Short mmCIF file of all heavy atoms in Angstrom, two decimals:
data_model
loop_
_atom_site.label_atom_id
_atom_site.label_comp_id
_atom_site.label_asym_id
_atom_site.label_seq_id
_atom_site.Cartn_x
_atom_site.Cartn_y
_atom_site.Cartn_z
N GLU A 1 -20.43 -54.73 -103.18
CA GLU A 1 -20.36 -55.65 -102.07
C GLU A 1 -19.93 -54.91 -100.80
O GLU A 1 -20.44 -55.21 -99.72
CB GLU A 1 -19.35 -56.75 -102.43
CG GLU A 1 -19.62 -58.13 -101.95
CD GLU A 1 -21.04 -58.63 -101.92
OE1 GLU A 1 -21.76 -58.55 -102.92
OE2 GLU A 1 -21.42 -59.11 -100.85
N ALA A 2 -18.96 -54.00 -100.94
CA ALA A 2 -18.49 -53.25 -99.76
C ALA A 2 -19.61 -52.41 -99.17
O ALA A 2 -19.78 -52.34 -97.95
CB ALA A 2 -17.31 -52.37 -100.15
N VAL A 3 -20.39 -51.77 -100.03
CA VAL A 3 -21.50 -50.93 -99.56
C VAL A 3 -22.55 -51.80 -98.87
O VAL A 3 -23.07 -51.45 -97.81
CB VAL A 3 -22.13 -50.13 -100.72
CG1 VAL A 3 -23.38 -49.42 -100.29
CG2 VAL A 3 -21.10 -49.15 -101.27
N ARG A 4 -22.86 -52.92 -99.44
CA ARG A 4 -23.83 -53.84 -98.85
C ARG A 4 -23.37 -54.26 -97.45
O ARG A 4 -24.18 -54.35 -96.52
CB ARG A 4 -23.99 -55.07 -99.73
CG ARG A 4 -25.10 -55.98 -99.27
CD ARG A 4 -25.27 -57.13 -100.22
NE ARG A 4 -25.37 -56.57 -101.57
CZ ARG A 4 -25.78 -57.23 -102.62
NH1 ARG A 4 -26.12 -58.48 -102.50
NH2 ARG A 4 -25.84 -56.68 -103.79
N GLY A 5 -22.09 -54.50 -97.28
CA GLY A 5 -21.56 -54.87 -95.97
C GLY A 5 -21.73 -53.77 -94.94
O GLY A 5 -22.07 -54.03 -93.79
N VAL A 6 -21.51 -52.52 -95.37
CA VAL A 6 -21.66 -51.39 -94.44
C VAL A 6 -23.13 -51.19 -94.08
O VAL A 6 -23.49 -51.05 -92.91
CB VAL A 6 -21.09 -50.09 -95.06
CG1 VAL A 6 -21.43 -48.89 -94.20
CG2 VAL A 6 -19.58 -50.21 -95.22
N VAL A 7 -23.99 -51.17 -95.08
CA VAL A 7 -25.41 -50.92 -94.84
C VAL A 7 -26.04 -52.05 -94.01
O VAL A 7 -26.85 -51.80 -93.13
CB VAL A 7 -26.17 -50.74 -96.17
CG1 VAL A 7 -27.67 -50.66 -95.95
CG2 VAL A 7 -25.67 -49.49 -96.88
N GLY A 8 -25.62 -53.27 -94.26
CA GLY A 8 -26.16 -54.41 -93.52
C GLY A 8 -25.45 -54.69 -92.21
O GLY A 8 -25.87 -55.55 -91.45
N GLY A 9 -24.39 -53.93 -91.93
CA GLY A 9 -23.60 -54.16 -90.72
C GLY A 9 -24.08 -53.35 -89.54
O GLY A 9 -25.28 -53.22 -89.30
N ALA A 10 -23.12 -52.80 -88.82
CA ALA A 10 -23.41 -52.04 -87.59
C ALA A 10 -24.37 -50.88 -87.87
O ALA A 10 -24.28 -50.21 -88.90
CB ALA A 10 -22.11 -51.51 -87.00
N HIS A 11 -25.26 -50.64 -86.92
CA HIS A 11 -26.26 -49.58 -87.03
C HIS A 11 -25.62 -48.21 -86.88
O HIS A 11 -24.73 -48.02 -86.06
CB HIS A 11 -27.32 -49.78 -85.95
CG HIS A 11 -28.36 -48.71 -85.95
ND1 HIS A 11 -29.34 -48.64 -86.92
CD2 HIS A 11 -28.57 -47.66 -85.12
CE1 HIS A 11 -30.11 -47.59 -86.67
NE2 HIS A 11 -29.67 -46.98 -85.58
N SER A 12 -26.05 -47.26 -87.69
CA SER A 12 -25.63 -45.86 -87.57
C SER A 12 -26.85 -45.02 -87.24
O SER A 12 -27.86 -45.07 -87.93
CB SER A 12 -25.04 -45.35 -88.90
OG SER A 12 -23.82 -45.97 -89.17
N GLU A 13 -26.77 -44.24 -86.18
CA GLU A 13 -27.86 -43.35 -85.80
C GLU A 13 -28.01 -42.19 -86.79
O GLU A 13 -29.10 -41.72 -87.05
CB GLU A 13 -27.64 -42.79 -84.40
CG GLU A 13 -27.85 -43.79 -83.28
CD GLU A 13 -29.29 -44.21 -83.13
OE1 GLU A 13 -30.19 -43.36 -83.29
OE2 GLU A 13 -29.53 -45.39 -82.83
N LEU A 14 -26.88 -41.72 -87.32
CA LEU A 14 -26.88 -40.55 -88.20
C LEU A 14 -26.58 -40.94 -89.64
O LEU A 14 -25.68 -41.76 -89.90
CB LEU A 14 -25.85 -39.53 -87.73
CG LEU A 14 -26.03 -38.97 -86.33
CD1 LEU A 14 -24.85 -38.09 -85.97
CD2 LEU A 14 -27.33 -38.19 -86.24
N LEU A 15 -27.30 -40.34 -90.57
CA LEU A 15 -27.02 -40.57 -91.99
C LEU A 15 -25.61 -40.13 -92.35
O LEU A 15 -24.96 -40.73 -93.19
CB LEU A 15 -28.03 -39.83 -92.86
CG LEU A 15 -29.47 -40.33 -92.81
CD1 LEU A 15 -30.35 -39.46 -93.70
CD2 LEU A 15 -29.56 -41.78 -93.21
N GLU A 16 -25.13 -39.07 -91.70
CA GLU A 16 -23.78 -38.57 -91.96
C GLU A 16 -22.74 -39.65 -91.67
O GLU A 16 -21.80 -39.85 -92.43
CB GLU A 16 -23.47 -37.33 -91.11
CG GLU A 16 -24.28 -36.11 -91.47
CD GLU A 16 -25.62 -36.03 -90.73
OE1 GLU A 16 -26.11 -37.05 -90.19
OE2 GLU A 16 -26.18 -34.92 -90.70
N HIS A 17 -22.92 -40.33 -90.56
CA HIS A 17 -22.00 -41.39 -90.17
C HIS A 17 -22.02 -42.53 -91.19
O HIS A 17 -20.98 -43.05 -91.59
CB HIS A 17 -22.36 -41.89 -88.77
CG HIS A 17 -21.44 -42.93 -88.24
ND1 HIS A 17 -21.85 -44.20 -87.93
CD2 HIS A 17 -20.11 -42.89 -87.98
CE1 HIS A 17 -20.83 -44.90 -87.50
NE2 HIS A 17 -19.76 -44.13 -87.51
N LEU A 18 -23.21 -42.91 -91.62
CA LEU A 18 -23.35 -43.97 -92.61
C LEU A 18 -22.69 -43.58 -93.93
O LEU A 18 -21.99 -44.38 -94.54
CB LEU A 18 -24.83 -44.30 -92.82
CG LEU A 18 -25.14 -45.40 -93.83
CD1 LEU A 18 -24.49 -46.71 -93.42
CD2 LEU A 18 -26.64 -45.55 -93.99
N ALA A 19 -22.88 -42.34 -94.37
CA ALA A 19 -22.31 -41.88 -95.64
C ALA A 19 -20.78 -41.95 -95.61
O ALA A 19 -20.15 -42.41 -96.57
CB ALA A 19 -22.76 -40.46 -95.94
N VAL A 20 -20.18 -41.53 -94.52
CA VAL A 20 -18.71 -41.57 -94.41
C VAL A 20 -18.21 -43.01 -94.33
O VAL A 20 -17.19 -43.35 -94.93
CB VAL A 20 -18.23 -40.71 -93.21
CG1 VAL A 20 -16.76 -40.92 -92.95
CG2 VAL A 20 -18.51 -39.24 -93.47
N ARG A 21 -18.94 -43.87 -93.63
CA ARG A 21 -18.55 -45.29 -93.57
C ARG A 21 -18.61 -45.94 -94.94
O ARG A 21 -17.73 -46.74 -95.31
CB ARG A 21 -19.45 -46.04 -92.59
CG ARG A 21 -19.15 -45.73 -91.13
CD ARG A 21 -20.05 -46.45 -90.15
NE ARG A 21 -20.23 -47.84 -90.47
CZ ARG A 21 -21.39 -48.50 -90.35
NH1 ARG A 21 -22.46 -47.88 -89.92
NH2 ARG A 21 -21.47 -49.77 -90.66
N ILE A 22 -19.63 -45.59 -95.74
CA ILE A 22 -19.74 -46.13 -97.10
C ILE A 22 -18.59 -45.62 -97.96
O ILE A 22 -17.98 -46.39 -98.71
CB ILE A 22 -21.10 -45.79 -97.72
CG1 ILE A 22 -22.21 -46.58 -97.03
CG2 ILE A 22 -21.10 -46.07 -99.23
CD1 ILE A 22 -23.61 -46.15 -97.42
N ALA A 23 -18.29 -44.34 -97.87
CA ALA A 23 -17.19 -43.77 -98.66
C ALA A 23 -15.87 -44.45 -98.31
O ALA A 23 -15.09 -44.82 -99.19
CB ALA A 23 -17.10 -42.26 -98.43
N ARG A 24 -15.61 -44.62 -97.02
CA ARG A 24 -14.38 -45.26 -96.58
C ARG A 24 -14.31 -46.70 -97.09
O ARG A 24 -13.27 -47.14 -97.62
CB ARG A 24 -14.29 -45.23 -95.07
CG ARG A 24 -13.07 -45.90 -94.52
CD ARG A 24 -13.10 -45.94 -92.99
NE ARG A 24 -11.80 -46.36 -92.53
CZ ARG A 24 -10.87 -45.57 -92.05
NH1 ARG A 24 -11.09 -44.29 -91.93
NH2 ARG A 24 -9.70 -46.05 -91.68
N ALA A 25 -15.38 -47.46 -96.95
CA ALA A 25 -15.39 -48.85 -97.41
C ALA A 25 -15.19 -48.94 -98.91
O ALA A 25 -14.53 -49.87 -99.39
CB ALA A 25 -16.71 -49.52 -97.01
N SER A 26 -15.70 -47.98 -99.66
CA SER A 26 -15.54 -47.98 -101.12
C SER A 26 -14.09 -47.82 -101.51
O SER A 26 -13.59 -48.50 -102.41
CB SER A 26 -16.38 -46.86 -101.74
OG SER A 26 -17.74 -47.07 -101.47
N ILE A 27 -13.40 -46.92 -100.83
CA ILE A 27 -11.97 -46.72 -101.12
C ILE A 27 -11.18 -47.96 -100.72
O ILE A 27 -10.34 -48.45 -101.48
CB ILE A 27 -11.43 -45.47 -100.40
CG1 ILE A 27 -12.06 -44.21 -101.00
CG2 ILE A 27 -9.91 -45.40 -100.50
CD1 ILE A 27 -11.74 -42.93 -100.25
N GLU A 28 -11.45 -48.49 -99.54
CA GLU A 28 -10.72 -49.67 -99.07
C GLU A 28 -10.97 -50.87 -99.97
O GLU A 28 -10.06 -51.67 -100.21
CB GLU A 28 -11.10 -49.98 -97.63
CG GLU A 28 -10.58 -48.95 -96.65
CD GLU A 28 -11.09 -49.14 -95.23
OE1 GLU A 28 -12.04 -49.93 -95.02
OE2 GLU A 28 -10.54 -48.48 -94.34
N ALA A 29 -12.17 -51.01 -100.51
CA ALA A 29 -12.51 -52.15 -101.37
C ALA A 29 -11.81 -52.07 -102.72
O ALA A 29 -11.67 -53.09 -103.40
CB ALA A 29 -14.02 -52.23 -101.56
N ALA A 30 -11.36 -50.89 -103.10
CA ALA A 30 -10.69 -50.73 -104.39
C ALA A 30 -9.33 -51.38 -104.41
O ALA A 30 -8.76 -51.60 -105.48
CB ALA A 30 -10.58 -49.25 -104.74
N GLY A 31 -8.79 -51.72 -103.24
CA GLY A 31 -7.48 -52.38 -103.16
C GLY A 31 -6.41 -51.54 -103.82
O GLY A 31 -6.34 -50.33 -103.63
N PRO A 32 -5.54 -52.17 -104.63
CA PRO A 32 -4.45 -51.44 -105.28
C PRO A 32 -4.94 -50.31 -106.20
O PRO A 32 -4.25 -49.31 -106.38
CB PRO A 32 -3.72 -52.50 -106.10
CG PRO A 32 -4.07 -53.80 -105.44
CD PRO A 32 -5.45 -53.61 -104.88
N ALA A 33 -6.13 -50.45 -106.75
CA ALA A 33 -6.68 -49.40 -107.62
C ALA A 33 -7.02 -48.15 -106.83
O ALA A 33 -7.21 -47.08 -107.41
CB ALA A 33 -7.92 -49.91 -108.35
N ALA A 34 -7.09 -48.23 -105.50
CA ALA A 34 -7.41 -47.07 -104.67
C ALA A 34 -6.39 -45.95 -104.85
O ALA A 34 -6.70 -44.79 -104.62
CB ALA A 34 -7.50 -47.47 -103.20
N ALA A 35 -5.18 -46.29 -105.30
CA ALA A 35 -4.16 -45.27 -105.53
C ALA A 35 -4.61 -44.27 -106.59
O ALA A 35 -4.16 -43.12 -106.59
CB ALA A 35 -2.85 -45.93 -105.96
N ARG A 36 -5.52 -44.67 -107.45
CA ARG A 36 -6.03 -43.77 -108.50
C ARG A 36 -7.27 -43.00 -108.05
O ARG A 36 -7.77 -42.15 -108.77
CB ARG A 36 -6.34 -44.57 -109.76
CG ARG A 36 -5.12 -45.23 -110.36
CD ARG A 36 -5.39 -45.81 -111.73
NE ARG A 36 -6.56 -46.66 -111.78
CZ ARG A 36 -6.55 -47.99 -111.77
NH1 ARG A 36 -5.42 -48.63 -111.70
NH2 ARG A 36 -7.66 -48.67 -111.84
N VAL A 37 -7.78 -43.33 -106.86
CA VAL A 37 -8.98 -42.67 -106.34
C VAL A 37 -8.55 -41.52 -105.44
O VAL A 37 -7.88 -41.72 -104.44
CB VAL A 37 -9.86 -43.66 -105.54
CG1 VAL A 37 -11.05 -42.95 -104.93
CG2 VAL A 37 -10.29 -44.82 -106.42
N GLY A 38 -8.95 -40.31 -105.80
CA GLY A 38 -8.63 -39.15 -104.98
C GLY A 38 -9.59 -38.98 -103.82
O GLY A 38 -9.20 -38.67 -102.70
N ALA A 39 -10.87 -39.21 -104.10
CA ALA A 39 -11.90 -39.05 -103.06
C ALA A 39 -13.18 -39.74 -103.51
O ALA A 39 -13.37 -40.00 -104.70
CB ALA A 39 -12.18 -37.57 -102.81
N VAL A 40 -14.03 -40.03 -102.54
CA VAL A 40 -15.35 -40.62 -102.81
C VAL A 40 -16.39 -39.76 -102.10
O VAL A 40 -16.21 -39.40 -100.94
CB VAL A 40 -15.43 -42.07 -102.28
CG1 VAL A 40 -16.83 -42.62 -102.44
CG2 VAL A 40 -14.43 -42.95 -103.00
N THR A 41 -17.45 -39.41 -102.82
CA THR A 41 -18.56 -38.68 -102.23
C THR A 41 -19.80 -39.57 -102.30
O THR A 41 -20.11 -40.12 -103.36
CB THR A 41 -18.82 -37.36 -102.98
OG1 THR A 41 -17.64 -36.56 -102.92
CG2 THR A 41 -19.98 -36.60 -102.36
N VAL A 42 -20.48 -39.71 -101.17
CA VAL A 42 -21.68 -40.55 -101.08
C VAL A 42 -22.85 -39.66 -100.71
O VAL A 42 -22.76 -38.85 -99.79
CB VAL A 42 -21.50 -41.65 -100.01
CG1 VAL A 42 -22.77 -42.45 -99.85
CG2 VAL A 42 -20.33 -42.55 -100.37
N VAL A 43 -23.95 -39.79 -101.42
CA VAL A 43 -25.18 -39.05 -101.12
C VAL A 43 -26.24 -40.05 -100.68
O VAL A 43 -26.47 -41.05 -101.36
CB VAL A 43 -25.67 -38.26 -102.35
CG1 VAL A 43 -26.97 -37.53 -102.04
CG2 VAL A 43 -24.60 -37.29 -102.82
N ILE A 44 -26.86 -39.78 -99.53
CA ILE A 44 -27.90 -40.66 -98.99
C ILE A 44 -29.16 -39.84 -98.75
O ILE A 44 -29.08 -38.74 -98.19
CB ILE A 44 -27.47 -41.31 -97.66
CG1 ILE A 44 -26.23 -42.18 -97.87
CG2 ILE A 44 -28.60 -42.12 -97.06
CD1 ILE A 44 -25.71 -42.79 -96.60
N ARG A 45 -30.30 -40.37 -99.15
CA ARG A 45 -31.59 -39.72 -98.88
C ARG A 45 -32.46 -40.71 -98.11
O ARG A 45 -32.49 -41.89 -98.43
CB ARG A 45 -32.27 -39.33 -100.17
CG ARG A 45 -31.43 -38.34 -100.97
CD ARG A 45 -32.19 -37.45 -101.88
NE ARG A 45 -33.24 -36.67 -101.29
CZ ARG A 45 -33.06 -35.50 -100.65
NH1 ARG A 45 -31.86 -35.05 -100.46
NH2 ARG A 45 -34.09 -34.83 -100.19
N LYS A 46 -33.14 -40.21 -97.11
CA LYS A 46 -34.07 -41.03 -96.33
C LYS A 46 -35.47 -40.48 -96.54
O LYS A 46 -35.73 -39.30 -96.29
CB LYS A 46 -33.70 -40.97 -94.85
CG LYS A 46 -34.58 -41.86 -93.99
CD LYS A 46 -34.08 -41.93 -92.57
CE LYS A 46 -34.90 -42.93 -91.80
NZ LYS A 46 -34.31 -43.20 -90.50
N LEU A 47 -36.36 -41.34 -97.00
CA LEU A 47 -37.74 -40.93 -97.22
C LEU A 47 -38.49 -40.87 -95.89
O LEU A 47 -38.33 -41.73 -95.04
CB LEU A 47 -38.43 -41.91 -98.16
CG LEU A 47 -37.80 -42.06 -99.55
CD1 LEU A 47 -38.53 -43.12 -100.35
CD2 LEU A 47 -37.80 -40.74 -100.28
N ARG A 48 -39.29 -39.84 -95.75
CA ARG A 48 -40.15 -39.66 -94.57
C ARG A 48 -39.39 -39.87 -93.25
O ARG A 48 -39.69 -40.76 -92.47
CB ARG A 48 -41.34 -40.60 -94.62
CG ARG A 48 -42.14 -40.59 -95.92
CD ARG A 48 -42.69 -39.27 -96.26
NE ARG A 48 -44.05 -39.12 -95.77
CZ ARG A 48 -44.69 -37.98 -95.81
NH1 ARG A 48 -44.11 -36.92 -96.27
NH2 ARG A 48 -45.90 -37.88 -95.36
N PRO A 49 -38.36 -39.04 -92.98
CA PRO A 49 -37.58 -39.22 -91.75
C PRO A 49 -38.43 -38.96 -90.51
O PRO A 49 -39.38 -38.17 -90.55
CB PRO A 49 -36.48 -38.17 -91.89
CG PRO A 49 -37.07 -37.12 -92.76
CD PRO A 49 -37.96 -37.85 -93.72
N PRO A 50 -38.09 -39.61 -89.41
CA PRO A 50 -38.86 -39.45 -88.18
C PRO A 50 -38.48 -38.17 -87.44
O PRO A 50 -37.72 -38.19 -86.47
CB PRO A 50 -38.49 -40.70 -87.37
CG PRO A 50 -37.11 -41.02 -87.83
CD PRO A 50 -37.06 -40.63 -89.28
N VAL A 51 -38.99 -37.05 -87.92
CA VAL A 51 -38.72 -35.75 -87.30
C VAL A 51 -40.04 -35.07 -86.96
O VAL A 51 -41.10 -35.50 -87.42
CB VAL A 51 -37.86 -34.84 -88.22
CG1 VAL A 51 -36.47 -35.42 -88.41
CG2 VAL A 51 -38.52 -34.65 -89.56
N ALA A 52 -39.95 -33.99 -86.18
CA ALA A 52 -41.16 -33.33 -85.68
C ALA A 52 -41.99 -32.66 -86.78
O ALA A 52 -43.19 -32.45 -86.61
CB ALA A 52 -40.78 -32.29 -84.63
N VAL A 53 -41.38 -32.31 -87.89
CA VAL A 53 -42.12 -31.68 -88.99
C VAL A 53 -42.31 -32.69 -90.12
O VAL A 53 -41.55 -33.65 -90.24
CB VAL A 53 -41.39 -30.42 -89.52
CG1 VAL A 53 -41.33 -29.36 -88.46
CG2 VAL A 53 -40.01 -30.76 -90.02
N ASP A 54 -43.33 -32.48 -90.95
CA ASP A 54 -43.59 -33.39 -92.05
C ASP A 54 -42.63 -33.09 -93.20
O ASP A 54 -42.69 -32.02 -93.80
CB ASP A 54 -45.05 -33.25 -92.52
CG ASP A 54 -45.43 -34.28 -93.56
OD1 ASP A 54 -44.83 -35.38 -93.53
OD2 ASP A 54 -46.31 -33.99 -94.37
N MET A 55 -41.74 -34.02 -93.49
CA MET A 55 -40.76 -33.87 -94.56
C MET A 55 -40.88 -35.06 -95.51
O MET A 55 -41.03 -36.19 -95.06
CB MET A 55 -39.34 -33.83 -94.00
CG MET A 55 -39.06 -32.64 -93.11
SD MET A 55 -37.39 -32.73 -92.40
CE MET A 55 -36.39 -32.53 -93.84
N ALA A 56 -40.80 -34.78 -96.79
CA ALA A 56 -40.82 -35.85 -97.78
C ALA A 56 -39.54 -36.68 -97.71
O ALA A 56 -39.56 -37.90 -97.83
CB ALA A 56 -41.01 -35.29 -99.17
N SER A 57 -38.41 -36.00 -97.51
CA SER A 57 -37.13 -36.70 -97.40
C SER A 57 -36.09 -35.78 -96.76
O SER A 57 -36.28 -34.58 -96.68
CB SER A 57 -36.63 -37.16 -98.78
OG SER A 57 -36.28 -36.05 -99.57
N ALA A 58 -35.02 -36.41 -96.31
CA ALA A 58 -33.87 -35.69 -95.78
C ALA A 58 -32.64 -36.35 -96.39
O ALA A 58 -32.65 -37.54 -96.69
CB ALA A 58 -33.83 -35.76 -94.26
N GLY A 59 -31.59 -35.59 -96.58
CA GLY A 59 -30.40 -36.16 -97.19
C GLY A 59 -29.12 -35.58 -96.66
O GLY A 59 -29.11 -34.51 -96.04
N VAL A 60 -28.04 -36.32 -96.87
CA VAL A 60 -26.71 -35.89 -96.48
C VAL A 60 -25.73 -36.27 -97.57
O VAL A 60 -26.00 -37.13 -98.42
CB VAL A 60 -26.26 -36.51 -95.14
CG1 VAL A 60 -27.16 -36.09 -94.01
CG2 VAL A 60 -26.15 -38.01 -95.24
N ARG A 61 -24.58 -35.64 -97.51
CA ARG A 61 -23.48 -35.96 -98.42
C ARG A 61 -22.24 -36.16 -97.56
O ARG A 61 -21.92 -35.32 -96.73
CB ARG A 61 -23.27 -34.80 -99.39
CG ARG A 61 -22.18 -35.04 -100.39
CD ARG A 61 -22.13 -33.91 -101.37
NE ARG A 61 -23.48 -33.82 -101.94
CZ ARG A 61 -23.82 -33.02 -102.92
NH1 ARG A 61 -22.94 -32.22 -103.45
NH2 ARG A 61 -25.05 -33.00 -103.38
N GLY A 62 -21.57 -37.29 -97.74
CA GLY A 62 -20.34 -37.58 -97.00
C GLY A 62 -19.20 -37.76 -97.97
O GLY A 62 -19.36 -38.40 -99.01
N ARG A 63 -18.07 -37.19 -97.64
CA ARG A 63 -16.90 -37.28 -98.52
C ARG A 63 -15.71 -37.80 -97.72
O ARG A 63 -15.47 -37.39 -96.60
CB ARG A 63 -16.57 -35.90 -99.08
CG ARG A 63 -15.37 -35.87 -99.99
CD ARG A 63 -15.12 -34.45 -100.48
NE ARG A 63 -13.86 -34.32 -101.16
CZ ARG A 63 -13.68 -34.50 -102.44
NH1 ARG A 63 -14.70 -34.79 -103.21
NH2 ARG A 63 -12.49 -34.35 -102.99
N ARG A 64 -14.98 -38.71 -98.32
CA ARG A 64 -13.77 -39.24 -97.70
C ARG A 64 -12.68 -39.19 -98.75
O ARG A 64 -12.86 -39.66 -99.87
CB ARG A 64 -14.01 -40.67 -97.22
CG ARG A 64 -12.84 -41.34 -96.59
CD ARG A 64 -12.41 -40.69 -95.31
NE ARG A 64 -13.42 -40.92 -94.31
CZ ARG A 64 -13.35 -40.43 -93.09
NH1 ARG A 64 -12.34 -39.70 -92.74
NH2 ARG A 64 -14.30 -40.66 -92.22
N GLU A 65 -11.55 -38.59 -98.40
CA GLU A 65 -10.41 -38.54 -99.32
C GLU A 65 -9.45 -39.67 -99.00
O GLU A 65 -9.31 -40.07 -97.84
CB GLU A 65 -9.72 -37.19 -99.20
CG GLU A 65 -10.61 -36.06 -99.66
CD GLU A 65 -9.91 -34.73 -99.75
OE1 GLU A 65 -8.67 -34.69 -99.66
OE2 GLU A 65 -10.61 -33.72 -99.93
N ARG A 66 -8.80 -40.16 -100.02
CA ARG A 66 -7.87 -41.27 -99.84
C ARG A 66 -6.77 -40.90 -98.86
O ARG A 66 -6.36 -41.70 -98.03
CB ARG A 66 -7.26 -41.68 -101.18
CG ARG A 66 -6.36 -42.91 -101.07
CD ARG A 66 -5.92 -43.41 -102.43
NE ARG A 66 -5.29 -42.40 -103.21
CZ ARG A 66 -3.98 -42.13 -103.21
NH1 ARG A 66 -3.18 -42.80 -102.43
NH2 ARG A 66 -3.49 -41.20 -103.98
N ARG A 67 -6.32 -39.66 -98.90
CA ARG A 67 -5.24 -39.25 -98.00
C ARG A 67 -5.66 -39.31 -96.53
O ARG A 67 -4.83 -39.39 -95.64
CB ARG A 67 -4.74 -37.86 -98.36
CG ARG A 67 -5.75 -36.78 -98.08
CD ARG A 67 -5.18 -35.43 -98.38
NE ARG A 67 -6.19 -34.43 -98.15
CZ ARG A 67 -6.28 -33.32 -98.80
NH1 ARG A 67 -5.41 -33.03 -99.74
NH2 ARG A 67 -7.24 -32.45 -98.52
N ASP A 68 -6.99 -39.28 -96.27
CA ASP A 68 -7.47 -39.44 -94.90
C ASP A 68 -7.22 -40.85 -94.38
O ASP A 68 -7.16 -41.08 -93.18
CB ASP A 68 -8.98 -39.16 -94.81
CG ASP A 68 -9.33 -37.71 -95.13
OD1 ASP A 68 -8.44 -36.85 -95.02
OD2 ASP A 68 -10.48 -37.48 -95.51
N LEU A 69 -7.12 -41.80 -95.30
CA LEU A 69 -6.92 -43.20 -94.92
C LEU A 69 -5.48 -43.63 -94.97
O LEU A 69 -5.07 -44.54 -94.26
CB LEU A 69 -7.73 -44.11 -95.87
CG LEU A 69 -9.21 -43.82 -96.00
CD1 LEU A 69 -9.81 -44.74 -97.02
CD2 LEU A 69 -9.88 -44.00 -94.66
N ASP A 70 -4.68 -42.99 -95.80
CA ASP A 70 -3.29 -43.41 -96.02
C ASP A 70 -2.35 -42.27 -95.66
O ASP A 70 -2.18 -41.33 -96.44
CB ASP A 70 -3.11 -43.81 -97.48
CG ASP A 70 -1.74 -44.39 -97.78
OD1 ASP A 70 -0.90 -44.46 -96.85
OD2 ASP A 70 -1.51 -44.77 -98.93
N PRO A 71 -1.71 -42.32 -94.50
CA PRO A 71 -0.85 -41.21 -94.07
C PRO A 71 0.37 -40.99 -94.96
O PRO A 71 1.01 -39.96 -94.90
CB PRO A 71 -0.44 -41.61 -92.65
CG PRO A 71 -0.77 -43.04 -92.50
CD PRO A 71 -1.78 -43.38 -93.55
N GLN A 72 0.71 -41.96 -95.84
CA GLN A 72 1.87 -41.79 -96.70
C GLN A 72 1.55 -41.07 -98.00
O GLN A 72 2.40 -40.90 -98.83
CB GLN A 72 2.48 -43.16 -97.02
CG GLN A 72 3.17 -43.75 -95.82
CD GLN A 72 2.72 -45.14 -95.53
OE1 GLN A 72 1.99 -45.75 -96.30
NE2 GLN A 72 3.13 -45.68 -94.40
N VAL A 73 0.31 -40.65 -98.20
CA VAL A 73 -0.06 -39.98 -99.44
C VAL A 73 0.15 -38.49 -99.28
O VAL A 73 -0.14 -37.90 -98.29
CB VAL A 73 -1.53 -40.28 -99.80
CG1 VAL A 73 -1.95 -39.49 -101.02
CG2 VAL A 73 -1.69 -41.75 -100.04
#
């Protein structure tokens, strides 16, 4: 549900930005269980990206660590 909210929400120009937003939302959605989550890595692939060369797909990987969200960790 958290991922659906991010993907269906505000527009991201860059896949990198979207990947980090999804990772962050995933940790936040875990609630109290987030204490057991060290990090989340999200991989996104876009088919036929709108670039000057013909590419089948492009992809990024975004990682967010729980300590990035919680200064007390």
Side-chain angles (χ1 to χ4, degrees):
E1 215 38 51
V3 172
R4 187 177 310 194
V6 172
V7 173
H11 178 74
S12 291
E13 287 292 323
L14 300 174
L15 292 179
E16 293 88 341
H17 183 242
L18 180 60
V20 170
R21 286 179 45 220
I22 290 171
R24 179 185 190 101
S26 298
I27 292 173
E28 290 173 347
R36 297 190 309 259
V37 176
V40 174
T41 301
V42 176
V43 178
I44 298 177
R45 299 206 56 82
K46 183 172 186 170
L47 301 176
R48 309 301 267 171
V51 294
V53 296
D54 187 29
M55 296 176 67
S57 68
V60 298
R61 182 175 304 186
R63 179 181 170 90
R64 179 65 69 182
E65 295 188 11
R66 185 172 54 89
R67 68 177 178 211
D68 295 338
L69 305 176
D70 185 359
Q72 288 128 8
V73 175

